[in-house]
Amino acid sequence: MSENHPINDLSPGQVLRFYLDAGVDETTGSHPLDRYALSEASAKAPKPTRPAVAVSPPKASAGAQRPGAAASAASKGVPSSVAGQSAAIAAAAAKSLEELKAAVEAFDGCALKSTAKSTVFADGNPAGRLMVLGEAPGSDEDRQGLPFMGVSGKLLDLMLDSIGYSRETAYLTNVIPWRPPGNRNPTPEEVALCVPFLERHVALVKPEVILMVGGLSAKTLLNRPEGITRLRGRWESVNTAGLGQPIPGVATFHPTYLLRSPQQKRLAWRDLLAVKEKLDSLASA
Ligand code: URA
């Protein structure tokens, strides 16, 4: 950083305040990195030419019509971004969960990856009958590389336990595999980039029932604009790309919200009982 950069006029406390306001809430390395010097060096370096990606537009899927995808495509006047196309191609090429995990880890088209420590793919039993879909990793999940590791994860474990399920019998994943900085909401464009991976994930696991926790997971998987208060507690058909048969899914409140609004646990409990009844009825059908 140059010696007369304005940040040098700030006291250490003011610098910390600046970082906190900008969403920085943890350090990720023991040595400071001068990113100004790095960006000056990379500005001087010869620009790599973008590889010619010979891609045919991905097949239209529910994801292609999502608000973020549609808005960004419409505003640029192209059918879809290069990153969106490569996400769709990489996801479609994955023939197993291992291949999908490797494809998500190798995908560099979503900026969230560059600020996250881990790619948080999934936890639990891929052969489980129940899939739980959350929103995005937080700091605990980013640190440990697994979904639902923090306080809200503990509550989710208790919720699953109350209907006789656990990480041994259910499969847990998120819409977004990278922690948004400062736990901000992901943008519609970021969500749209992750949708091909999510849809492939659902198609490869093919659970019997999906429990969507939180508004983002319900809106994204159902491709609906309503908020969680309207979407929760109703059985819906999840009919995303690559599923031969629709899967019954129900949305409920996110455990983080339930921690803040415990009076809503009554409704969440109703949703969980509905999940148990659905799984029981499918098993005896
Ligand atoms: N909230 C989520 O939606 N997912 C996680 O993995 C953690 C917190």
Side-chain angles (χ1 to χ4, degrees):
M1 194 181 307
S2 75
E3 259 169 35
N4 52 9
H5 191 277
I7 204 163
N8 292 332
D9 297 336
L10 301 178
S11 70
Q14 287 172 313
V15 174
L16 271 179
R17 182 78 257 155
F18 168 80
Y19 283 141
L20 284 171
D21 291 345
V24 178
D25 53 10
E26 65 181 317
T27 50
T28 54
S30 49
H31 297 290
L33 251 188
D34 186 348
R35 297 196 181 274
Y36 288 93
L38 287 177
S39 61
E40 275 159 25
S42 71
K44 284 182 199 138
K47 291 262 173 300
T49 49
R50 189 197 289 281
V53 196
V55 288
S56 49
K59 284 209 184 85
S61 71
Q65 288 143 26
R66 276 178 174 75
S72 56
S75 61
K76 290 186 191 127
V78 291
S80 159
S81 67
V82 170
Q85 290 188 9
S86 42
I89 289 165
K95 299 287 174 267
S96 64
L97 284 176
E98 292 70 31
E99 285 183 19
L100 183 65
K101 182 169 191 272
V104 175
E105 284 168 348
F107 182 65
D108 283 329
C110 180
L112 291 176
K113 185 182 177 189
S114 62
T115 48
K117 228 187 253 177
S118 316
T119 296
V120 177
F121 185 70
D123 194 17
N125 186 347
R129 301 175 60 213
L130 173 64
M131 181 183 223
V132 179
L133 180 66
E135 301 186 332
S139 58
D140 293 303
E141 292 75 22
D142 188 36
R143 209 173 295 120
Q144 297 177 59
L146 291 169
F148 287 105
M149 287 285 115
V151 214
S152 67
K154 289 214 169 60
L155 179 56
L156 180 66
D157 287 340
L158 290 173
M159 290 161 73
L160 291 177
D161 184 60
S162 72
I163 54 163
Y165 282 79
S166 67
R167 292 185 196 228
E168 274 76 58
T169 51
Y171 186 77
L172 278 59
T173 188
N174 283 314
V175 172
I176 306 277
W178 301 286
R179 180 196 182 204
N183 295 341
R184 68 162 168 78
N185 290 329
T187 65
E189 287 73 19
E190 288 160 352
V191 174
L193 283 172
C194 297
V195 162
F197 296 115
L198 170 64
E199 291 189 341
R200 190 76 190 124
H201 210 152
V202 174
L204 286 169
V205 174
K206 237 184 221 154
E208 288 180 43
V209 168
I210 304 181
L211 174 64
M212 295 156 274
V213 297
L216 178 70
S217 51
K219 284 188 205 189
T220 307
L221 202 59
L222 301 173
N223 197 16
R224 295 262 293 273
E226 298 100 306
I228 187 65
T229 312
R230 276 181 181 271
L231 289 176
R232 65 144 285 280
R234 300 193 206 161
W235 284 103
E236 304 281 352
S237 286
V238 174
N239 202 0
T240 48
L243 285 177
Q245 292 261 321
I247 297 174
V250 71
T252 195
F253 292 124
H254 195 283
T256 304
Y257 171 72
L258 293 174
L259 288 167
R260 284 198 314 266
S261 309
Q263 72 282 8
Q264 302 285 32
K265 285 185 183 171
R266 194 173 50 89
L267 292 176
W269 170 235
R270 232 189 250 175
D271 303 337
L272 286 163
L273 280 183
V275 167
K276 180 171 165 43
E277 275 164 24
K278 179 67 85 182
L279 285 161
D280 289 351
S281 72
L282 290 171
S284 60

